[in-house]
Amino acid sequence: MKKLFVAIATALPLAASAGGFSLSSPDVGPKAPIANKFVFKGFGCEGENVSPALAWQNAPKGTKSFALTAYDPDAPTGSGWWHWLMIDIPADASALAQGAGDPAAGKAPKEARQMRTDFGATGWGGPCPPKGDKPHRYIFTLHALKVDKLEVPADASAALVGFMIHASEIGKAGFTARYGR
């Protein structure tokens, strides 16, 4: 019983601080399929591979930075597919411009780091599920962190980045979009 109480007491501050924290996008969301502009160009897909604009509000008190992830749990890999990982987004940021997922575009906050995705490169890699597969879910999550920077090497795997995100998380917000071909 004591362990259960400790677990509940530990979870309560996280839930309370996360109240109202939200992530949205004018470009993608749960109501319509992802447009071709945001789809990957390669692997048989002919999209433009532009990252969607994102905005957030009501970050938990104590947020020192943010990390953004976009993940497809339906990819036929046995472990899903990481489409975007951006870390060290400053706490005073409240949005990412469309195209911020292109490291060469200079649209992301200068302190932010784009990490290697499952495409093997940094930055946004749009949806590209196998042809004829059911539409896949793309889970966009913004993590509020209690640290200014995540201590991970530039070539860290998505699993290591995810581990470090979860170790420092004080709240999260997200939404799920869908795409099939």
Side-chain angles (χ1 to χ4, degrees), residues 45-73:
C45 289
E46 292 298 325
E48 296 175 41
N49 202 46
V50 174
S51 63
L54 299 169
W56 54 92
Q57 59 186 6
N58 300 322
K61 186 177 181 178
T63 299
K64 293 187 176 180
S65 70
F66 297 101
L68 173 72
T69 60
Y71 174 72
D72 172 4

Side-chain angles (χ1 to χ4, degrees), residues 91-155:
D92 62 356
S94 61
L96 292 173
Q98 187 180 97
D102 176 356
K107 292 183 176 183
K110 72 175 185 146
E111 303 89 343
R113 294 193 294 155
Q114 305 221 34
M115 306 304 290
R116 186 168 47 97
T117 69
D118 285 335
F119 287 108
T122 59
W124 168 254
C128 186
K131 198 170 196 167
D133 210 358
K134 67 178 170 74
H136 286 204
R137 295 169 291 161
Y138 297 88
I139 302 169
F140 290 80
T141 308
L142 186 72
H143 307 265
L145 306 179
K146 61 184 175 185
V147 297
D148 294 319
K149 304 227 178 269
L150 287 179
E151 297 297 324
V152 294
D155 65 346

Side-chain angles (χ1 to χ4, degrees), residues 11-86:
L12 285 176
L14 178 60
S17 69
F21 186 30
S22 64
L23 175 67
S24 62
S25 174
D27 297 330
V28 297
K31 300 205 189 272
I34 295 173
N36 197 57
K37 179 175 192 170
F38 309 106
V39 172
F40 191 70
K41 184 167 184 68
F43 289 19
C45 289
E46 292 298 325
E48 296 175 41
N49 202 46
V50 174
S51 63
L54 299 169
W56 54 92
Q57 59 186 6
N58 300 322
K61 186 177 181 178
T63 299
K64 293 187 176 180
S65 70
F66 297 101
L68 173 72
T69 60
Y71 174 72
D72 172 4
D74 303 316
T77 63
S79 61
W81 193 271
W82 291 98
H83 287 264
W84 198 8
L85 296 111
M86 185 184 293

